[in-house]
Structures are given as C-alpha cells and as structure tokens.
Amino acid sequence: IRLLQPLEFLLFGEDPQAGLEKLQQGSASSQLCGRVFKEGETVYSCRDCAIDPTCVLCMNCFQDSVHKVHRYKMHASSGGGFCDCGDLEAWKTGPCCSKHDSGAATAMETDECLLEPGLRERAQKLFQVLLRYTTDMLVWEESFELAAELVICNRVMEDTFYCVLYNDEHHSYDHVIYTLQRSVQCDHSEAHTHTALIDKEGRRAVKRGELRSCQDARDLIRSHSEHISLQPLRVEILHSAVMAHQSFAMRLGTWFQQIIGYSVGFRQVFCQVALEPNSELDQTSLISRLMLHDARLYKGARKIIHELIFCSLLMETEYKRLFAIEFTKHYMQLQKDFILDDHERSISITALSVQIFTVPTLARQLIEECNVIKVIVDTVMELLSEHLDANHRFHFQGYNSDKFFRIQVIFNDLRYILISKPSVWTEALRTQFLEGFRVFLELLNCMQGMEEVKRQFGQHIEVEPEWEAGFSIQRQLRHILVMFQDWCSSDVRPLLLLSFKECHRALMRCNNQPFHSEAIDYYMCKHILHVRPYKVSQEPVSIHLPISRALAGLYVQLCSTGITGPSVLQESCDYTLWAEHPLRCVVLAAQVSAEMWRRNGLSLVSQVYYYQDVKCRDEMFDKDVIMLQIAASQMDPNHFIMLILLRFELFDVFNGNHSNKDQELLKQWNRLTEEMLYLIIIVVGERYVPGISQVTKEDVMMREVIHLLCIEPMAHSSLVKGLPENSHETGLETVIPKVATFKKPGVSGHGLYEVKKECLLEFNPFFFHYSKSQHSKAEDAQKKRRTQEGSDKALRPPVPPPFCPAFSTIVRLLCCDILIHVLRRVLQRAVEDRATYWTEAMIQRALHLIGQGLSEEKTQLGGHPVEEVTFDFSLKARSESSVFHLLSRMKSLPSLEAQKDMIKWILQMFEVVKCLREKSSPAACMSVEQTKPEEIVPDKDKAERKRKADAAKLHRQKIMAQMSAMQKNFIESNKMLYDNMPESRGLLAHPGSWLALVGPQRGSTPAEREVLTCILCQEVQEVQAHSPAMVLTACVQRSTVLTQCRGKTLACKETSYPLFMPPDLAVGTHTGSCGHVMHSTCWQKYFEAVQNATRNRLHAEHIIDLENGEYMCPLCKSLCNTVVPLIPLEPLTLNYENAELVGQHLTLPRWIQILSARIRGLKSVTQGSGKDSCVIPLSGCSGERPSASAGVAPVSTFSDSITEMLVVCATTVHRVGLQTAPNELCPRVAIMSWNTCAFTIQAIENMLQEVEKTLFGSLQNRQVGHLAGLKAVVQFSATQHLKSSHAVIQKHFTDMFGALLPAMSSENTPSIVEIDFFHLLVGLVLAIPALYQEEAVDLRPSAVSSAYNHLHILQLVTVAHIVQVLLCSTDYPAVSGGEDGEEAKAAAELYATVSQYVSGSSVAERVRTGIRPFLRCAALFFYCLTGVPPPEELSVTTVSSEGQMEALCSYLALPSNVFQLFQCHSGTVSPLIRRWCGHPSIAKALKGEIQTISYPRKRNRLIDLPEDYSALLNQASHFQCPNSMDDERKHPTLCLFCGTILCSQSTCCQSQLDGEDVGACTAHAATCGAGVGMFLRIRECEIVLMASKTRGCTFPAPYLDDYGETDPQLGRGNPLHLCPERYQKLHQLWQQHCILEEIARSLEVVHVMFAFEWQML
C-alpha cells in the first residue's frame, strides 16, 4: 500500500478517492462482462442463440438473461475463458443480460471514452513506465543482479538469497513433500504448505539465507527428486532484491487490473501502451515480449498477465484486432514454446486463441490480412516434420505421446477460424482462403497413404505397428474437412470450382500404393475390363485417404448446385483411378472380417473398427462409399462390378468353374462374397446424402435415428453416442418426436425412446452404419416384432429416394449382365445344396439385391410409360435358367426355411412388375402387393391356425385350473405349516378380539412351533431354548435419523446417557436384519472363511471392515456386523380369575408401595443392614411371601450356544453404540441392548408413519422393517437381565424408576422434559424381572405378576409422558414451577376462572396427537414381547384415525380417554405431578433456558432441493470457503441431512478426527450423521454416500434432464430438474438405515485397484 498509494496520487493528481468519484460520475458501465473463468466454474451456453458452442455466459449473467428460458447447456469450465455477455457477435438474440444492457446502450453512442487531457497524459506516462518495469522484471533472467537503473546509489545490497522451488507437472504432491522434508529439514505440515503454494502460485522460496546454504539446499533437492523421478525439480537461487522486485511486479499486475476497471478510458490508454512498438527492441511491443516469454514464466506470473490481457485488450474491439494480429504474427513461436512447456494449456498464452479466432469478423480479417489458415497449417507441418518419411508421408512409429497431444490441440484453432462461414466474400478473403486451402491440401497429401500395411504370411507379426496417432489426427480433421467444404459451398462459382480443381490436382499428384504392372484385359460375360492388376491381400494398402475423401465431398457439393464434376475439369477423368483407393479400403475391411489378416495383430483390427465406427466413419467409410457411387455413376456398370470382383479377388470364383477343396479358403471366399454383395447393396441403396438424392439433413438424421431405435429402445444419451458428433442435439430434438415415442423412467433407470410403428417401413436390414452385432440385433428384433404382429418374417428393402440426375445411372448396376450373372451363380450354389460353397448370409444379401432391383423397376414403371423405362431387371432375371427359376426352386428347400417368406415376397414382386409391364389390371397388381401376409395365406391355413390357437388357449386354462385346485388343497392339508411361518404368525387376531397386551385381560402367548431352514447348510431345525442356536444376520449402527438437534454429540461421562435417552434422540443405536437364518456354528465357520478370504484380497478390505466384525449376508449380500440369536416365545396362559383377584389388591398405589419397599430393601442389603429386610412380597396378597403360582416362576435357561450368541450380540451393540472397546462385563451392556431395542422400534414406527402405513399390516415388507428381525431384537433385549449381574440390573431399574418417583431419585436424575419415555418404558419393563432375583435362587415374575407390572409401568410412564407433552407445548400456558409473587398468584387465579369457560378440545387434541407415536411404539414392543395378536383395526387402512387410536388404547389396556388415568388415579398422580413440575430444570425449560422438544416429534426429512439444478449451481457459485480467501477451484458439497455447504477435497478445510487428517465432509458426517453422510457434490451432480472414514460410494443424483437421465459430472450439460420419486428413494434409503448396505453392495460390484481416499472428501 505504501508503494502503490503514491502512484495513485500521481495518476489522479489529487486524493485517489476524490479522483475516482469524479471519474465514475462521468463514465458508464461496460457493455462486456469479461468475467474470467476459474477451473471448474459452471458456464452456460444457449443452444438456440449462441453463434457457436464456445460462446458462454457466467452464472450471474445467465441468471439475468433471456437465455434462462431457452434450451441451454451447462458445463464446467477448464479455466482461461471469459464471459461473452455483451458481445454482439456471439449471440443471435439477447446478447446482453439486464446488468450489462445499460452498458450496451452507452457503447452504441460512442466507442471511445475520453479522459481529461491532463489525466490521460499522466496515465499514459505512468502506464508506460510501470508496464515496462513489470515486463522487464517478469522476463528478467539474471538471478544475482538487477538492471543498473534499479540499483540504488550509495546503498550496499544485502547479500541474502532465496532457494526458490518451481512447479512442474512431472512430480506429484507426495514426491515434493518427501523431497522438502529431507532437503530443508521441515516437518510434514510445513512441507505440505510449501507444496500447496508451489502448485498454486508456481514457485515458492523454501529457504532463506546465505548463498552457500541455499546452494546446498538446491543440490539436496535435485538429488532427492532425481531418485524419485527421471527429471529433477527445478530449483533456482535468487538474490533477495531480485525476488523483491519480481514480487512487486506481480503486485503491479493486480494493481493494473484494478485501475483499468475504474474507467474505459484507462483501459484504452493501457491497451495503447501495451501494443505500442518499442524502437529499442526491433519494434516489439511490451505485450509481445510478455507473450514470447510466457512459457518461461511460472504459473502465478502467467495468470496475472493473462487476466490483464482479458480485462484490457480483449475488452476493446479495435485493440482486440491489433492484439490478434500480434498473436498471429508470433503464433508459430508461441506454439513451439508450448510444445516444450510442461504446464497445462489452460495456463498457456496459446489458450487465448479461442477468444480471438472464434469472433467471426476478426477471423475473416485475420484471414485477409495475415492468412491465419496458412499460419496455423504451417505451424502443424513444422511441428510434425520430424515424422515425415522418405516419401513425404507421415510415419508416427515411436512418437512422443505428450508432445503429440499438444500438437493436436493446434487443430482446434483451425476449427475456431472456420466455425462461422462468411455470407459475403471479398476478393482478398477468397484469395487468401484458397491459398490456405492449398496449404491444407499439402498437409492432407502427407497423410494420403500413410502407415500402409501389408498382409503377414507364415508367422504372426512381432511388433504391433503404431496406428493411434494417425487416427487421432483423422478425428481432429473430420470437423475441419466439413467446415472447408461448407466454406467452399458458400461461394459456388469461383471458390467451389477452384477448390475442386485444386483437390483433384492434389489427388493426381499422389503416388501412394502405386501399381507395379501394366493394365491387362479381363473377360466376363462378353464384357472386357482393361485395368491394372492389384491384390489387396499381397500388396501394401493404407486406410488413410483424406484427399480422395475431400474430393468426394466437394464433388457432391458441386452436384447439389447442379454442376457436375466432368464439366468442371474439362478433361477426361479416369474414374477407375478415383475408385481404386477407396475400394481397396473397403476390401481391406472385408478381408479383415474374413480373418485373412489375423497374423497382422490387433492394430489392424482396431484401424478397421474405427474406420467404420461412428467416431470416424463420416470422413472415412462414408466418403469412400460416396466415391464409389461417383465412379459407379460415371463408369459402365458392368465394368464397375467387374472392378469390384477383381479387387475382392473373386473374379475367378464367378468367372468359371474355379473349385477348391481347401475349407479355409472356401470360408474366405464365402465371407468375401457376402461383403461384396453387401457393398453393392450399399452403393445402390444408400442415397441419404444431400446432393446424391433430394434429401435434407433432417431426413438423414431421421433415418439414422430410426435404424438405431430398430435395434432396441434407447435412452437419449445412447442415441447421441450412436450419431456423429457434428449432428448437434438441436437437430436431433426436432427429429425424435417425429419418429419415436418417449417412455418416462421410473424410480430407477432412464427414459427410453421407442420407434413409431409407421416409421418401421424405412427399416433396412443392411443399413450401412450397422456393425455386425447391431445388424444381428436389429434383424432379430424386427423379425420378433413381425411374428408378434402375425406378419411374415420377410424384411423387405425399403423404397429409397430417387437419385439426383448426376447419380441416376447408378441403378443400372442392378440390371447389368455381370450382377445378374453373380446373383445366378450364388443362387445356383444354394439350389445345388453344395454346403461349403454358400452361406445363408450370402443368400440373404442376394435376395435383398433382387428385391432392390424389383422395387426400382416397379418405381420406374409406376412413374413413366413402359416404352421410356430402360431398366429391365425382371426381364433379365426371367430368362432361361436364370434368377426367377432358381428362386422358384429355392422356395421348397428346407435349408432355406428362414428365407422362405422373403422368397415368397420376391416372387410376388415379379408378378407385380410383370403386370405393370403388360399393363394388365395394375390396380389388382397393387392390391396384391399391398395385401397383408395373413390375407395371402389361404383360408384353409387361416382356419387351421385359428383352431390350433383356440386349442392351446383351452389347454392353458385347464392347466391353470388344476394348479389352482392343487394349491388350495395343499394349503388346507398343511395349514399347521403355514400357521408356523415365522413372518406371518399371529399378526391378525380373530375379528372381535378383546384381548390386551398387558394387565388382567392380557391375551395368551400362542404355543407355536417355529421350524426354520439354515441358509448355509439347508438343514431344518425347530427354534427351542435348549437346542443349538439359530441366529439372524444383523447390522448394528449408530443413527441420527430421529434426531431433533442435528449435530449434537452425546458424551456418556457428562450426561445421564445411556441410562436416560434424551428426548431429542440425538444419536441412537439401530439394529436391523435382513431376516435370513443360520445355525450359529454355520455362521461362525462362514465368518472365519470370510475373514481369511478378505485378508487375501486386495480390494475386499475396503468393502467390509474386519475389525468391526463385518461380513456380507451369504444370501442377499446385505452388510452385517453381528448376529441376533432366535429365542422362542414361551407359551403363557393367564388365569383370568386369579388375575382379577390379584387386581383387587394390587392397585397402582399398592404396586408403587410394594415396589418402593422392595427397592429400599435392596438398597439396605447393599449397605449391609441385614438380609431379612429384603423379603418383601411382590404379589400384594395379604403381605405373605408370594407363591410360585401367583408371584414368581422359575427363570428360563438356554443352551450354551444361545448364551454365547447373546454375548456376541450384546457386545457388538455396546461397542458400536458407545464407540468403545468390546467389554462384555461393562455395566452398560444391558442398557445399550434395551436402548437399541427401543430406538429400532421408534425408527420403524417413524418409517410407517412416514409412508402412511398401518402399524401391523405393513411389517411383512422388508423395506419398512422385518418382523422376524424385530421380534428377535426384542427377545434378545429381554434376556439381558439374565446375563448381567443381578445387582447391576437392579441398580439400573432403581435409577430409572427414580425418574417416575421423585422420592427415590438422586441428584443426577433428569427431569421429565429431559427423558425419552419410550426408552424408559422399555428399560423398566425389561429390567423389572431382576427385582425377583435373589442370591440364593433365580426367580422371575409369573404371568400374572408380569401382566400387572407391565400395566402399571405403562400407565405410570404414559401419565408422565402426557405431562411432558403439556409442559413442552408452547401454544398455551403450561404448569409453572418456583415461587410466585402476589401478582403471579392473582394472574393464576384469574386464568383458573377464565379457563372454565374455554374449550379443552385443543388441549385434548394436542395430547392425543403428542402421545400417539409413544403408544404405537409401545404396542409394537409389547406385541414382540408377548406375541398377543393385535386387533384387526391396527392392520387395515380403512379404519379412521380415531378408530385406530381407540383400538390402540384398547390393545394397551388404556382407557380410550387417556385423561381418565388422571381421574382414576388422582390420589397417586397428583403428588407425582407436583414433584415432577417442581424439578429445577422445569423452570429453566419454561423460561427457555433449556431447549425442549415439542410432541409429536418433527419427522426428519432430507432438505428441500430446488426444482431447477441451475439454482443449486448458482448457490455453489457464491460459496466462499471459510478457511481460504483465494479463488481457486473448490468442490462445494451439500449435506442433504442439514443443508450445510462444505468445501470438500481441499486441504484448506481438513481437520483432525480421532488423530487423523480428514476432509470436511468426513468430519461433518461424524457429527451430523454419526459417521453416516449423504452429500450432493454440486458441480459434479452426483450423490456421495459415506458410512465411515474409509468407505463411501457415488450414487445417481435425483436430478433428471428432459430425457429422464441423470448427468454425472455434467457431461451432457442439459437442463436438470428434480425428480421427487428419486429423491424420496434417497430419503427412504436414509430412513431405513440402508446407506451402509448400499455402499457395501456398490463396492462389491465396482472393483478398483486403488481405492478412493474417502476420508479426504
């Protein structure tokens, strides 16, 4: 600031703030936005309005523009570009957003913003000095001294030096960190900081000191880095003064950007200074010096210079033109420097080409003034010259892939120049373009015939030749070749004709694959062909023929304008020579298909594949076909077919009795014959090219789409992949609705397009863009469709559009003598049934050709008089022993059964054509041809077919009736078996059932046998207490699904957790099961095997965590980490008379009194007061010790294996729930078992409520919760009082009961607003049996005692919960605690008086709604504990909410009016309420000092996402990393649980978790989701699921485009909209605790060698 402020004073001539205010008053805002994009920033392009795809908008401009409602694309910027908002040449409509529209209006008035003369003069002088200083210092190469003018006189320079380490792309982060730690003695953290800054800025001083110490550090860095990589790190030693000046020069660059942004006038002055020639340096401007030194600058300096150019030179039209001329003048040198540079192109000066060359007017000016096309092509030729061989053709064997990739980037510049063809041509533009085209043809000449191959004989090729480089250039040129043709066609008369001549001359000069012998005569069917011999299988051949293909393209352009090639050339052309090389390529592909070149290795197979693949075919295979069509239109048809036979090496096969018994050779001939016939089909039938026939580009696209959809229904993205890249999706969108119908996707999958039925008439089974597999699939699909429709299987050739006049003679091929001869020979082989001499594919192609000939003849006869029609295919085919007679004989051949329908159709076509020629009843002929196949079938066949169909239908109905009867009989006979099914037993009670779960009317536990099958050994076993254990697979995990305070963590030492679960349910322990059963011994063997196998697998350790005891379910592959033993329900029958008798004495007050005495007795025992006091009766009968029949019963015992499995499960729940080391003796083991039981039930009830399902009717559905697993968890939890110490359980019960009886509470007992009462209910019910246990004998409560214990606990907890609901309600006054003054007492009396006249319905409704979840959970719990069947009202959806509530209360033995609990037990409850409300925490809660939870609890949902994905991207664009101030690329990631946006995969936001460095998402998931996370990576548009620090997976985002597809990484860039169904699926995945399982299954499917570091996310 101290250095820059005087400069600003000098610039403004006054206080900079005052000068700036004056300047801003007189200046207007800029028309151009000019925002420079960072890497990864989201940019938008309008598909309707953009001139070309490179025209993009930044997020802010897009949101404020008209393009937001258009069809737009979005993608991540690679960095280096800038926003085109305000550029009139970039947009057809809406060039400015609302923000820059005012600037556009101002810019229309004046192109120059004048500064005050004095200010302008000062700015010019200051800018000249400062920019020259900045340039000198940034390009300064002296390390130890400065320029003479910068040395301060009479001041000794301090001899301090810096050891500076520079960034490169050869060494990784870890390499640099390793080197720094060992070279400059810094720790890992400091080395990491150095490395991060080096990567960001490009260099960093890693040591400061004397020269010697810096030199030692430099040598150490180089030596250490050489051990890791072949290249040492770049290290330099700079004097401190040099370092200081360079740093200040960098700061001046930023200052320039700031000053330029103040005024357009300052920007114009700066541009003038930057482009001003310097007489001292050969007229080189300062900006040219910076450009030429760009490759030698470090990353930070480059960024400053590029941003300076963006905000100055590229923002002014005239200076942009001058800068473009400078850029073009130095273009070759800049590209050479870039090739040798190791930095990415995004930070190279050459990346500015896209900003210059894509401006249409500027591109044309550069062509006129600098011939930029020639400059670019010359640059490519200069850089590729080292790869030229002796014949001046490219040969890329042993090329440098990195260097070659950088050279290929130059082709993009040529594409940018040609991206917008001119509408008006000047003479200078025409001349310079033609000169550039000639130079471009020289480049193509070096490719013509390059990398030729020769067939390998004898042994396999030893070294695979290089082929990828040639095809890489071909792919780069495919768009450029089309653009050149478009430019030529826009100026027909002079330019297109001259270009065609130039291309023809270039082709004639080519000498690739010359002939080695003179022409000779070939004879066939009285025709003579005079041509030079050449065999593809014996001589060299190349697949690269760019000049031939360019000539074909220009020829078609000429023909589309009405001009023919021969008339242009004004000389006789040898069209045989034109067709020669393309025909060789086609033959090469055929021979490779016939496996004649298999000794040449995979390189040739790959070349042929890409030759015909969608990525290259439009400028390779397609153009070769066009060239063959050109030759066919100009040559004698017989000569053309003979030429094809010669080059396919089949001339002798069809010219005589050329026989051979070599089976391998016969297979080759057959395959070549198939390919030869296929080629003729293509040449005659493929007319969908504008210029060859009267079709449009839309017609061409429509045909491509139809044939792709004939293979199978496809998604939009699959269609796009199957089409050439230059067929923009805008054209595809107009075509698709015409030919296909769209089927929307479901919850998974994607939308599909299906071809419309009326479009199937255009299906051609020999469509030339089909691969072998596509041809087979399409043929099978269409035959299957026709069979389903009842049609025949004949796949007729479609009627093609007529040829243009220049190509109309091609159809003569079909009726020429040679082709008729070939067809006759092919059919004759089939008739003679010489199996090795023909194939069905050969016959199929021959039949298709015959069908083409007949269709063509029929078309001509239908449109012209018979006398004018010269096409006589049917006449030649009907001659003696000819095609027609052979077809008649083939009709009955069993070997051609598959072609029977096609032969039948052809014979009908012969009759139709005959009728047309004889002019006899043409209407009848047409009706015969148009008759459906089923109408042609005789009536007798139709009747027989109908009779068989009816008989088959009757037979099916009879079988189904028999199966139904057998099924009913089996169910009746095995009713007992069905009743004992583990998942369906006892769900529904008999209608009118009045039995309750608790109390004297408790229903009996049914006596049921549970017989299950082990999924591992398949043995059947009954579940019994003393039998070997049967276990259920289970997964225990911590959960925040029900939390009411997300992000809160529970510390056991600081709170009463886990004994008392807080009501906010911050973190719970969930136990889920897939329901699959195993023997415990089988499971142990399986688990040991899994552990052993996992240790031996590299990838498996990332799927399952061995330390956590994880494994995959053997059957369904669900992730598990424990097993739950199956414990049978004991059949209990209640003596209702005895129960009623006991009930008369054991009232709620009496029960509390007895229980309190028992607890006091236990306390006195523990305090050593004697044993007699502990004998307290629990039955309540006359104070006597209870008998076994009334009060107690013997304790259940289990087999050793069940006991062992109980310990295994309890230990896992304790370890996972408390995140502690396993300890089966810990007193909290039993508590955690009760807690997981309660939390699992609450989670299931919450999910049932979420999906609006009934409480018991939906438990069969595994998606909600498996009933068998839930019962097993409850029974397991109920046994914990047997496995733990009696005293420990009794202590737990005493502490929990103290929350209900304040008289028994301790200091740490929480108030009733700080407890979750369902957890308390489960704990009390499962712990109370421990009160019956004594040291001498183990007892348990009898059925009657249990019924009353459960009833009174439930009533007491329900009362407390109702009070809790009232206290936590905020919409009406609650009971207050503490001392009241006179005013408060008076107010209370007034409220008591007024409340008598206020309806209590709102309070009643609030209480009923608040306690409903608690009652539902209680019903589930007691049902799983006792097995008493529920009433039907809780299992059907037809019952009203009030009816379900009434049934629920009845089932729980509670009054339907729950307030009666207060009235019936007022003497007991009222004192309790006063004590509860007198707790100190209640007063704090009512004052708001303690956060309370309102009831019913809020159901957690994933956050609300915007419907339009661009809104999310906009949110991400404004995201600022909390720990970093730079503007480098970030990965904003949205937590779907809480809505927090995090900075993921960035070192700036890493933190420590359990002593390890973790990323922001991992750290956030630990608190927000108890280790489980669900994040949306906004810029990548994908969901990330996390379950631990080391495991995660990606999941499709719930956003779909208009085609029903997701778009990960925004690869397609279509507008995305939220799919509610898919988002709901994600929500259920979370609510059902299936995230861990989804991750494990994903990792099981996707095998990676090196796992992603999820902890760094």
Side-chain angles (χ1 to χ4, degrees), residues 1 34 52 139 156 183 186 191 195 202 218 285 287 370 438 549 584 623 643 885 951 982 997 1046 1095 1295 1330 1653:
I1 295 176
D52 61 73
V139 304
V156 180
S183 304
C186 60
T195 306
R218 177 192 61 189
S285 63
I287 204 68
C370 309
R438 291 192 188 99
R549 292 156 186 161
R584 291 179 188 177
K623 286 295 192 293
L643 180 64
H885 296 92
L997 284 166
R1046 191 156 299 282
R1095 292 190 181 99
D1295 292 340
E1653 293 184 345

Side-chain angles (χ1 to χ4, degrees), residues 1157-1315:
R1158 175 63 169 165
I1159 293 172
R1160 284 193 297 271
L1162 292 173
K1163 287 183 177 179
S1164 63
V1165 170
T1166 56
Q1167 294 168 5
S1169 299
K1171 297 184 179 180
D1172 295 336
S1173 59
C1174 70
V1175 184
I1176 303 294
L1178 293 181
S1179 67
C1181 297
S1182 306
E1184 299 177 358
R1185 185 177 177 84
S1187 64
S1189 61
V1192 295
V1195 172
S1196 301
T1197 57
F1198 303 107
S1199 64
D1200 292 340
S1201 60
I1202 291 180
T1203 303
E1204 181 185 354
M1205 292 300 105
L1206 286 171
V1207 172
V1208 168
C1209 185
T1211 306
T1212 304
V1213 171
H1214 173 259
R1215 173 176 55 81
V1216 174
L1218 295 181
Q1219 295 180 301
T1220 185
N1223 179 10
E1224 60 184 88
L1225 301 178
C1226 177
R1228 294 181 295 184
V1229 169
I1231 301 175
M1232 291 308 299
S1233 300
W1234 303 332
N1235 282 353
T1236 193
C1237 173
F1239 188 85
T1240 303
I1241 291 174
Q1242 285 179 311
I1244 290 175
E1245 188 278 333
N1246 178 72
M1247 194 64 211
L1248 288 170
Q1249 194 76 16
E1250 178 79 29
V1251 297
E1252 298 180 351
K1253 298 289 186 181
T1254 58
L1255 189 59
F1256 291 97
S1258 304
L1259 281 179
Q1260 293 296 335
N1261 187 356
R1262 274 192 58 199
Q1263 290 300 103
V1264 177
H1266 203 289
L1267 182 62
L1270 184 58
K1271 284 185 176 181
V1273 170
V1274 173
Q1275 294 298 326
F1276 148 75
S1277 303
T1279 61
Q1280 288 308 302
H1281 70 278
L1282 301 174
K1283 309 315 301 175
S1284 301
S1285 166
H1286 302 164
V1288 169
I1289 303 297
Q1290 291 165 355
K1291 174 70 165 58
H1292 292 330
F1293 180 85
T1294 302
D1295 292 340
M1296 289 187 290
F1297 202 59
L1300 296 176
L1301 295 182
M1304 302 175 61
S1305 62
S1306 62
E1307 294 180 3
N1308 298 326
T1309 303
S1311 67
I1312 62 171
V1313 297
E1314 299 173 294
I1315 299 172

Side-chain angles (χ1 to χ4, degrees), residues 510-794:
C510 291
N511 60 348
N512 56 301
Q513 295 102 47
F515 295 100
H516 297 292
S517 56
E518 295 299 321
I520 58 176
D521 292 336
Y522 295 90
Y523 300 87
M524 180 181 284
C525 298
K526 302 179 182 179
H527 293 278
I528 305 173
L529 176 64
H530 187 73
V531 71
R532 292 184 175 187
Y534 182 92
K535 286 192 175 183
V536 174
S537 63
Q538 297 179 6
E539 300 185 50
V541 62
S542 172
I543 211 165
H544 297 283
L545 305 169
I547 294 184
S548 300
R549 292 156 186 161
L551 184 66
L554 291 172
Y555 187 96
V556 173
Q557 294 281 7
L558 279 174
C559 293
S560 63
T561 62
I563 307 172
T564 57
S567 63
V568 173
L569 296 175
Q570 297 178 351
E571 58 187 57
S572 59
C573 295
D574 186 0
Y575 289 100
T576 306
L577 189 60
W578 282 31
E580 182 65 38
H581 291 96
L583 184 56
R584 291 179 188 177
C585 281
V586 176
V587 172
L588 174 64
Q591 291 184 355
V592 170
S593 177
E595 298 185 350
M596 294 172 61
W597 291 68
R598 57 178 176 267
R599 289 187 176 87
N600 285 69
L602 290 175
S603 62
L604 182 59
V605 175
S606 301
Q607 289 186 65
V608 172
Y609 170 79
Y610 280 104
Y611 168 71
Q612 297 172 325
D613 185 65
V614 65
K615 296 182 179 67
C616 301
R617 70 186 179 209
D618 51 349
E619 286 302 320
M620 296 188 82
F621 176 64
D622 291 4
K623 286 295 192 293
D624 286 347
V625 170
I626 291 174
M627 185 59 90
L628 291 175
Q629 289 177 317
I630 294 170
S633 67
Q634 299 296 327
M635 291 175 62
D636 179 274
N638 290 292
H639 291 170
F640 183 78
I641 300 295
M642 290 173 70
L643 180 64
I644 288 179
L645 289 173
L646 274 171
R647 295 300 176 247
F648 271 90
E649 301 175 26
L650 294 171
F651 193 85
D652 292 337
V653 175
F654 286 96
N655 200 27
N657 295 321
H658 191 79
S659 60
N660 195 304
K661 294 184 179 181
D662 185 352
Q663 294 299 316
E664 185 70 21
L665 190 58
L666 287 173
K667 286 181 181 178
Q668 291 176 4
W669 286 350
N670 289 339
R671 186 65 187 145
L672 290 175
T673 303
E674 294 171 13
E675 295 293 334
M676 181 267 297
L677 295 173
Y678 179 48
L679 177 61
I680 298 173
I681 291 172
I682 290 172
V683 171
V684 174
E686 293 300 334
R687 310 178 187 182
Y688 280 81
V689 177
I692 290 182
S693 66
Q694 297 295 336
V695 293
T696 63
K697 291 184 178 180
E698 184 176 301
D699 295 331
V700 178
M701 177 72 65
M702 200 178 299
R703 184 167 181 259
E704 292 278 349
V705 172
I706 288 172
H707 281 84
L708 283 173
L709 294 179
C710 282
I711 302 171
E712 60 184 355
M714 287 187 177
H716 186 269
S717 58
S718 301
L719 276 175
V720 172
K721 288 178 183 176
L723 296 170
E725 290 177 16
N726 55 4
S727 56
H728 296 123
E729 289 183 53
T730 47
L732 179 61
E733 286 175 357
T734 58
V735 165
I736 286 183
K738 298 178 182 178
V739 301
T741 54
F742 181 66
K743 294 182 68 175
K744 291 186 177 180
V747 179
S748 59
H750 41 244
L752 294 175
Y753 283 100
E754 290 184 351
V755 66
K756 292 181 179 178
K757 190 173 181 179
E758 59 268 23
C759 297
L760 292 170
L761 294 173
E762 297 185 34
F763 172 68
N764 182 359
F766 295 101
F767 180 57
F768 76 137
H769 285 162
Y770 276 161
S771 64
K772 283 185 184 178
S773 60
Q774 288 176 329
H775 165 75
S776 177
K777 286 181 181 178
E779 184 179 349
D780 291 345
Q782 295 312 308
K783 283 184 176 180
K784 183 178 179 181
R785 178 191 60 82
R786 293 180 68 84
T787 302
Q788 291 172 347
E789 293 174 354
S791 306
D792 59 36
K793 293 183 180 180

Side-chain angles (χ1 to χ4, degrees), residues 1626-1637:
L1626 276 172
H1627 174 72
Q1628 291 178 358
L1629 195 71
W1630 172 48
Q1631 290 282 311
Q1632 295 163 12
H1633 299 87
C1634 293
I1635 291 179
L1636 196 62
E1637 180 178 326

